[in-house]
């Protein structure tokens, strides 16, 4: 069993930055591919970014490519999402996710979800 706890959300003006963190319990963190997803009000949850267990491979949704960076520190059991040049359309609840395979995480087929953290971008 893996528990994921997100932090770092908040209110920011358009053009600003935030860094989300997700810390996992357990001793096998580096065996999981990790991902970030988001869900805006009235919309379905969507993929944002994913990173392989080693951190060597990353993948981004087109809507955030060039603005967001996913990274991980396996010694700290933590994955990060650095969000720059934020836009009002980035407003959503952001969820951390863990899965066994990098490609399946991208598809949303994950084993564990965090509780979510709210990100609000004002115009």
């Amino acid at each position: 069993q893996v528990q994921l706890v997100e932090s770092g959300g908040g209110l920011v003006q358009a053009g600003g930055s935030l860094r989300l963190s997700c810390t996992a319990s357990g001793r096998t963190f580096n065996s999981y591919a990790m991902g970030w997803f988001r869900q805006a009000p009235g919309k379905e949850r969507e993929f944002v970014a994913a990173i392989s267990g080693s951190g060597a491979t990353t993948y981004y949704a087109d809507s955030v490519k060039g603005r967001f960076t996913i990274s991980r520190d396996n010694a700290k059991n933590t994955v990060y999402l650095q969000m720059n040049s934020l836009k009002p359309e980035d407003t959503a609840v952001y969820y951390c996710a863990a899965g066994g395979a990098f490609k399946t995480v991208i598809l949303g087929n994950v084993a564990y979800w965090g509780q979510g953290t709210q990100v609000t971008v004002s115009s």
Side-chain angles (χ1 to χ4, degrees):
Q1 188 76 12
V2 174
Q3 291 185 326
L4 304 174
V5 179
E6 301 102 331
S7 61
L11 174 64
V12 64
Q13 288 189 333
S17 298
L18 281 175
R19 189 176 81 155
L20 305 183
S21 300
C22 171
T23 300
S25 63
R27 295 175 290 178
T28 59
F29 180 69
N30 62 0
S31 68
Y32 290 98
M34 301 295 295
W36 287 97
F37 294 76
R38 65 187 182 187
Q39 187 168 19
K43 295 187 177 181
E44 293 188 353
R45 189 176 297 185
E46 65 174 0
F47 168 79
V48 175
I51 188 166
S52 61
S54 67
T57 306
T58 58
Y59 185 77
Y60 298 92
D62 287 344
S63 59
V64 306
K65 200 173 296 182
R67 299 188 298 122
F68 291 10
T69 302
I70 188 171
S71 62
R72 65 190 297 161
D73 185 338
N74 285 341
K76 296 182 178 179
N77 278 19
T78 301
V79 62
Y80 305 97
L81 186 68
Q82 178 66 44
M83 305 185 294
N84 298 329
S85 302
L86 283 161
K87 306 174 182 180
E89 52 263 44
D90 293 318
T91 295
V93 177
Y94 282 71
Y95 296 91
C96 174
F102 180 66
K103 291 183 178 179
T104 58
V105 168
I106 294 170
L107 295 173
N109 185 10
V110 302
Y112 304 101
W113 291 97
Q115 83 287 351
T117 186
Q118 177 70 47
V119 171
T120 303
V121 184
S122 63
S123 56

